[in-house]
Amino acid sequence: MLVRGERSPVTAEGVPVRRPTLHAVAARAGVSKSSVSRVINGEPTVAPEIRQIVMAAVTELGYVPNGAARNLVTQKTNTIAIIVSDPPAGLASDDPMFAMVVRAASRQLEAAGKQVSLVLAGSDESRKRVEQYLAAGHVDGAMLVSMDGADPLPAVLARTGLPIVSHGRLSTPGLMPWVDNDNLGGARLAVRHLLDQGRQRIATISGPLDMTAAQDRLTAYRETLKDTGRRSIVALGDFTRISGAEAMRQLLDDDPQLDAVFAANDLMAIGALRTLREAGRRVPDDVAVIGFDDIEAALYTAPALTTIHSPMGEQAARTTRLLLDLITHGSADSVTLPTEIVVRESA
Amino acid sequence: MLVRGERSPVTAEGVPVRRPTLHAVAARAGVSKSSVSRVINGEPTVAPEIRQIVMAAVTELGYVPNGAARNLVTQKTNTIAIIVSDPPAGLASDDPMFAMVVRAASRQLEAAGKQVSLVLAGSDESRKRVEQYLAAGHVDGAMLVSMDGADPLPAVLARTGLPIVSHGRLSTPGLMPWVDNDNLGGARLAVRHLLDQGRQRIATISGPLDMTAAQDRLTAYRETLKDTGRRSIVALGDFTRISGAEAMRQLLDDDPQLDAVFAANDLMAIGALRTLREAGRRVPDDVAVIGFDDIEAALYTAPALTTIHSPMGEQAARTTRLLLDLITHGSADSVTLPTEIVVRESA
DNA sequence: CTGAAAGCGCTTACAG
DNA sequence: CTGAAAGCGCTTACAG
């Protein structure tokens, strides 16, 4: 099938038509451009009859104000950038976090009358691009999503002076306000639950240690175990299912006697469940498994996954609100959201 | 923590500083604005020494061209809209399709030097907003993602004359080029596989019938069965896990003897697996289950899910390329991508 | 190869 | 309450 795709609408004769301008509307209505502008922008100081006739001309011509011209003169864009770290080569590309955060934030931003510009920041080159993009004045503010601690981007962007917030605490403090869930508290809950069950050898599968969430979850695991005199058994993952499966295999090799695993997120817990099944270990009878996040998939594992509920939707909503507040008030406070344990079958 | 969030950078004294303009760079370099513009845009007709001195001024002042001014005068934005139908109330909000498509398309678009604007289209109100947004000239083109057939948006947007493509075939033909996978062929593969196994009572869990993918998958199921003289056993889902679980329950009630289920996507197959487990049916011994899509989660179900591989990543890439072609050449051909069966444990 | 000038399509003080 | 004019920050024919 062939479909025409001209840049602008054309008449039946194929003559390109330009979109009508403010000038055209003014001419059609027989008033000044100023008056049309005032009507369009809903200013109260317009006579009712003028408003009438202008509105008529607007609908008649199908007038829509040109965005670029508006942005140029008002020095604002009504656009917010959502900047997401882009893992190389599709890594974690179906991570539910991405969909949840982007979707929740977009919805709320649009409800607030803002457009959203989605920016992926992966390579050094793309980081440069992001910086230029913000400097070019394309957006009124930005939201950073789960940056890893090694990433220089937050510091660079903070220097632009634009209102920026972070979804997830950054490792460099003071750069910008953030919203995060209580990773420390949540991980403590998880490990204590395992201890309460009388588990003796409790291992963990950690997330990538350049992310604060992974650091916190590992730290809390270590300290909670240390309080009971037990030793840590740690394998490293990167928050993907496959890394969880591999880490579990390694854990089983290192300590065949282990009877519990705390995975730093649900995706890795799902991977661990597969390895345990392949190894013939029963869950939770032989090995208890607990995850973190409480993603929807945790309801569908066999056995159903016990996990720590982190309020992803609320976190996204609060981060968005934080940004909106920062834009209007010039300041905003970081917030930490509480977590809770959800006991199902796996532990 | 309190963080300052001024609109613009300030000096140590707190004096707001404006970003430097082309004018400032020209003054600093001692040349005309025209020359600066030419250097910035890499035009070849510039004397080397002028280029030198301009570049020096640019880096010295940290100059970045204002996007709005550029867009206004050039009448293009270098921005592409990705328009995604937003299901009400978080329905399917962790659908891996969303993440995959948005991510793959963004990556490719940015590699092509385009910015991406993410637009959620759910309510009637938001549909209006989208239309205005495109009419305002904010983007050079758009990509529609999995619109349902009842949605009037594609037709409305097609009338803007902007280059637009669809990720997934639309039910109204001829509106715009699209890229889709072979839903008909894939579903046929699935049902035949079940037949080849000697399954006698083969049910299906359909997707929402206002989507062409769901329609095609159901049609192929029906026709393939009819060829063997078997009757269709259909339950309706909406492509979510929970709907798959509920549909499976209903199917079991309607026909306790069924020995196979074709779920129209993997998410629903995952839901069906849970119901079957709860009902004490062994998979695949008692009931064979086959899905569609081959999402990553299909590798982690117990038992591992047999499914039809639909090339989501490639579909997104091809759709993006289609749009880029449409923008540059003014025309582009729709494409259908082949599917294949991936046999694992569940069928 | 370079610069002065016009103009992209709006908004916004400023007079009236 | 209304309109003429200036200006937002660029690019691009057009002379030279």
Side-chain angles (χ1 to χ4, degrees), chain B residues 142-192:
Chain B
M143 172 170 158
L144 261 35
V145 178
S146 27
M147 289 288 148
D148 68 56
D151 200 319
L153 195 58
V156 171
L157 297 186
R159 283 193 284 116
T160 63
L162 277 173
I164 310 186
V165 300
S166 175
H167 179 273
R169 183 172 58 85
L170 298 173
S171 44
T172 310
L175 242 32
M176 62 187 69
W178 46 262
V179 177
D180 209 339
N181 55 53
D182 184 10
N183 291 304
L184 248 15
R188 242 179 258 128
L189 247 32
V191 179
R192 283 200 197 122

Side-chain angles (χ1 to χ4, degrees), chain A residues 1-9 18-19 64-69 71-72 75 84-87 89-90 92-94 96 98-100 102-103 106-107 110 115-120 129 132-133 135-136 138 140 160-163 174-178 241-242 270-271 274 277 296-297 299-304 326 330-334 345, chain B residues 1-9 18-19 64-69 71-72 75 84-87 89-90 92-94 96 98-100 102-103 106-107 110 115-120 129 132-133 135-136 138 140 160-163 174-178 241-242 270-271 274 277 296-297 299-304 326 330-334 345:
Chain A
M1 185 187 61
L2 271 187
V3 174
R4 287 228 308 283
E6 285 79 6
R7 173 67 182 72
S8 339
R18 279 186 110 70
R19 297 209 56 83
V64 177
N66 178 288
N71 292 349
L72 177 57
Q75 302 278 51
V84 185
S85 68
D86 190 38
S93 59
D94 76 334
F98 174 84
M100 293 233 41
V102 170
R103 216 150 186 157
S106 298
R107 205 171 302 182
E110 304 204 337
Q115 295 145 200
V116 359
S117 174
L118 183 67
V119 181
L120 263 33
R129 201 173 27 70
Q132 295 258 332
Y133 182 66
H138 283 291
D140 297 338
T160 64
L162 278 173
L175 243 31
M176 61 187 69
W178 45 262
R241 295 181 191 85
I242 183 69
I270 287 170
R274 189 179 75 175
R277 180 166 72 99
E296 189 169 339
L299 271 163
Y300 292 84
T301 56
L326 185 57
S331 74
D333 291 314
S334 296
E345 302 168 356
Chain B
M1 184 187 62
L2 272 185
V3 174
R4 288 227 309 282
E6 285 77 5
R7 174 65 183 73
S8 341
R18 279 186 110 72
R19 297 210 55 85
V64 177
N66 178 288
N71 292 349
L72 176 58
Q75 303 277 50
V84 185
S85 67
D86 190 37
S93 60
D94 77 334
F98 174 84
M100 294 234 39
V102 170
R103 214 151 190 155
S106 299
R107 205 172 302 185
E110 304 205 335
Q115 296 144 201
V116 0
S117 175
L118 183 67
V119 181
L120 264 32
R129 202 173 28 69
Q132 295 258 333
Y133 182 66
H138 284 291
D140 297 339
T160 63
L162 277 173
L175 242 32
M176 62 187 69
W178 46 262
R241 296 180 191 85
I242 183 69
I270 287 170
R274 189 179 76 177
R277 181 167 70 98
E296 190 170 338
L299 272 163
Y300 292 83
T301 56
L326 184 56
S331 74
D333 292 315
S334 295
E345 302 167 358

Side-chain angles (χ1 to χ4, degrees), chain B residues 4-330:
Chain B
R4 288 227 309 282
E6 285 77 5
R7 174 65 183 73
S8 341
V10 295
T11 62
E13 293 76 36
V15 184
V17 306
R18 279 186 110 72
R19 297 210 55 85
T21 67
L22 193 77
H23 183 81
V25 176
R28 185 76 192 78
V31 301
S32 71
K33 293 195 298 174
S34 312
S35 289
V36 176
S37 179
R38 291 189 190 102
V39 171
I40 297 294
N41 293 297
E43 286 183 30
T45 67
V46 188
E49 53 259 52
I50 294 231
R51 167 161 285 123
Q52 281 285 329
I53 190 164
V54 168
M55 291 306 277
V58 165
T59 52
E60 185 186 340
L61 300 179
Y63 172 69
V64 177
N66 178 288
R70 238 182 192 175
N71 292 349
L72 176 58
V73 63
T74 59
Q75 303 277 50
K76 58 197 299 286
T77 63
N78 263 310
T79 302
I80 298 297
I82 299 182
I83 301 172
V84 185
S85 67
D86 190 37
L91 212 184
S93 60
D94 77 334
D95 184 347
M97 171 103 72
F98 174 84
M100 294 234 39
V101 172
V102 170
R103 214 151 190 155
S106 299
R107 205 172 302 185
Q108 199 174 339
L109 249 13
E110 304 205 335
K114 310 285 183 193
Q115 296 144 201
V116 0
S117 175
L118 183 67
V119 181
L120 264 32
S123 58
D124 285 347
E125 178 201 1
S126 78
R127 243 182 295 278
K128 193 71 199 159
R129 202 173 28 69
V130 176
E131 195 184 342
Q132 295 258 333
Y133 182 66
L134 296 212
H138 284 291
V139 300
D140 297 339
M143 172 170 158
L144 261 35
V145 178
S146 27
M147 289 288 148
D148 68 56
D151 200 319
L153 195 58
V156 171
L157 297 186
R159 283 193 284 116
T160 63
L162 277 173
I164 310 186
V165 300
S166 175
H167 179 273
R169 183 172 58 85
L170 298 173
S171 44
T172 310
L175 242 32
M176 62 187 69
W178 46 262
V179 177
D180 209 339
N181 55 53
D182 184 10
N183 291 304
L184 248 15
R188 242 179 258 128
L189 247 32
V191 179
R192 283 200 197 122
H193 178 72
L194 263 14
L195 288 167
D196 289 349
Q197 291 192 336
R199 302 289 172 171
Q200 293 303 319
R201 292 165 173 260
I202 302 174
T204 191
I205 301 175
S206 168
L209 291 178
D210 50 5
M211 300 196 69
T212 56
Q215 289 164 11
D216 286 356
R217 292 172 191 185
L218 179 59
T219 300
Y221 159 84
R222 283 210 149 101
E223 293 182 348
T224 308
L225 271 198
K226 183 156 47 169
D227 292 347
T228 69
R230 285 180 178 71
R231 69 179 189 94
S232 294
I233 312 170
V234 181
L236 213 61
D238 63 6
F239 278 156
T240 62
R241 296 180 191 85
I242 183 69
S243 77
E246 285 161 0
M248 190 68 241
R249 206 160 302 145
Q250 190 195 311
L251 249 19
L252 250 21
D253 285 350
D254 291 356
D255 187 348
Q257 308 298 323
L258 64 81
D259 60 1
V261 181
F262 164 48
N265 77 345
D266 290 347
L267 250 22
M268 294 195 298
I270 287 170
L273 284 177
R274 189 179 76 177
T275 296
L276 288 167
R277 181 167 70 98
E278 289 168 359
R281 310 291 177 108
R282 291 167 307 161
V283 176
D285 312 73
D286 300 331
V287 180
V289 176
I290 186 166
F292 202 118
D293 281 344
D294 192 24
I295 62 178
E296 190 170 338
L299 272 163
Y300 292 83
T301 56
L305 189 66
T306 292
T307 186
I308 302 299
H309 179 78
S310 68
M312 283 196 195
E314 194 191 343
Q315 191 183 349
R318 296 288 284 267
T319 308
T320 309
R321 174 113 318 278
L322 198 67
L323 178 56
L324 262 14
D325 286 351
L326 184 56
I327 289 174
T328 55
H329 304 129

Side-chain angles (χ1 to χ4, degrees), chain A residues 165-189:
Chain A
V165 300
S166 174
H167 180 274
R169 183 171 59 85
L170 299 172
S171 45
T172 311
L175 243 31
M176 61 187 69
W178 45 262
V179 177
D180 209 340
N181 55 52
D182 183 10
N183 292 304
L184 249 13
R188 244 180 257 128
L189 248 32

